[in-house]
Amino acid sequence: DAGVIQSPRHEVTEMGQEVTLRCKPISGHNSLFWYRQTMMRGLELLIYFNNNVPIDDSGMPEDRFSAKMPNASFSTLKIQPSEPRDSAVYFCASSLARSGGENEKLFFGSGTQLSVL
Amino acid sequence: AQSVAQPEDQVNVAEGNPLTVKCTYSVSGNPYLFWYVQYPNRGLQFLLKYITGDNLVKGSYGFEAEFNKSQTSFHLKKPSALVSDSALYFCAVRDPTGPNDYKLSFGAGTTVTVRA
């Protein structure tokens, strides 16, 4: 298996522009997470999908952030408009959540390094 | 609420010496505990987990961790460190009985440097 695939690996954009980050989870996984990593705040959970349905988006910083999962093999995280404080590494992770509640371990993608100038 | 504390920002050891990375947790019920490792420019990789059973769990790359309920700790250990173990290590906790049983809370991370 190729693992969790994220694109692009690096994104440099100007303040005010729209940014779209993409993620392909591991085939067969039913849970998908978007995380943001910064030096100041560490790893923050932005949003959690189970079976393509958003379950918890309480970590999404503001309305400028949105995420979708149109099918089991694809998710996007969009920032519109982007701001310099959005600069961070954004990770997508997937796992297999079994009935009964025990999530398996998370598999992380390599991340997208976002720089907003 | 659940949380994890990693009291050391950095740990430096010589190759061949024992390595310990400390972690304490706070959770209302019985915890699920995890260690992940992050190499430069890469995503986090799973090392090991404690769910139930034996307090000493063994994981990838020769790492192990000991669950201590009375001290609410889950320290990561390796008997003989390698230069290739140099990386950023994260402890994480999950409460399987709460309403957010999917949510992992990560510590701030500990940078491990193993010198040759």
Side-chain angles (χ1 to χ4, degrees), chain A residues 52-65:
Chain A
N52 313 337
V53 176
I55 304 299
D56 181 358
D57 65 354
S58 60
M60 298 285 263
E62 28 190 295
D63 292 345
R64 298 184 297 106
F65 285 69

Side-chain angles (χ1 to χ4, degrees), chain A residues 15-101:
Chain A
M15 183 174 63
Q17 296 299 305
E18 177 179 297
V19 174
T20 299
L21 312 181
R22 297 173 176 80
C23 175
K24 176 179 169 55
I26 290 174
S27 177
H29 282 186
N30 57 7
S31 294
L32 185 138
F33 305 77
W34 281 99
Y35 284 88
R36 179 170 67 177
Q37 185 180 36
T38 60
M39 290 291 293
M40 292 296 295
R41 302 169 73 95
L43 273 164
E44 303 173 275
L45 176 62
L46 300 178
I47 188 167
Y48 163 59
F49 291 88
N50 184 257
N51 292 321
N52 313 337
V53 176
I55 304 299
D56 181 358
D57 65 354
S58 60
M60 298 285 263
E62 28 190 295
D63 292 345
R64 298 184 297 106
F65 285 69
S66 63
K68 294 182 179 179
M69 192 165 185
N71 57 61
S73 59
F74 184 64
S75 177
T76 60
L77 178 67
K78 185 178 293 186
I79 308 173
Q80 166 63 20
S82 59
E83 297 183 4
R85 60 195 168 115
D86 302 331
S87 298
V89 181
Y90 290 81
F91 288 106
C92 175
S94 71
S95 71
L96 178 61
R98 303 187 189 280
S99 60

Side-chain angles (χ1 to χ4, degrees), chain B residues 7-56:
Chain B
E8 300 161 315
D9 291 337
Q10 291 196 4
V11 170
N12 299 306
V13 297
E15 188 171 37
N17 282 2
L19 169 63
T20 298
V21 186
K22 296 179 180 177
C23 170
T24 58
Y25 66 89
S26 174
V27 70
S28 56
N30 291 321
Y32 286 3
L33 293 157
F34 304 81
W35 276 101
Y36 286 81
V37 60
Q38 184 179 26
Y39 298 101
N41 301 315
R42 301 294 299 274
L44 280 69
Q45 297 177 30
F46 171 82
L47 273 181
L48 51 79
K49 67 180 179 181
Y50 171 83
I51 303 298
T52 187
D54 195 347
N55 288 344
L56 184 65

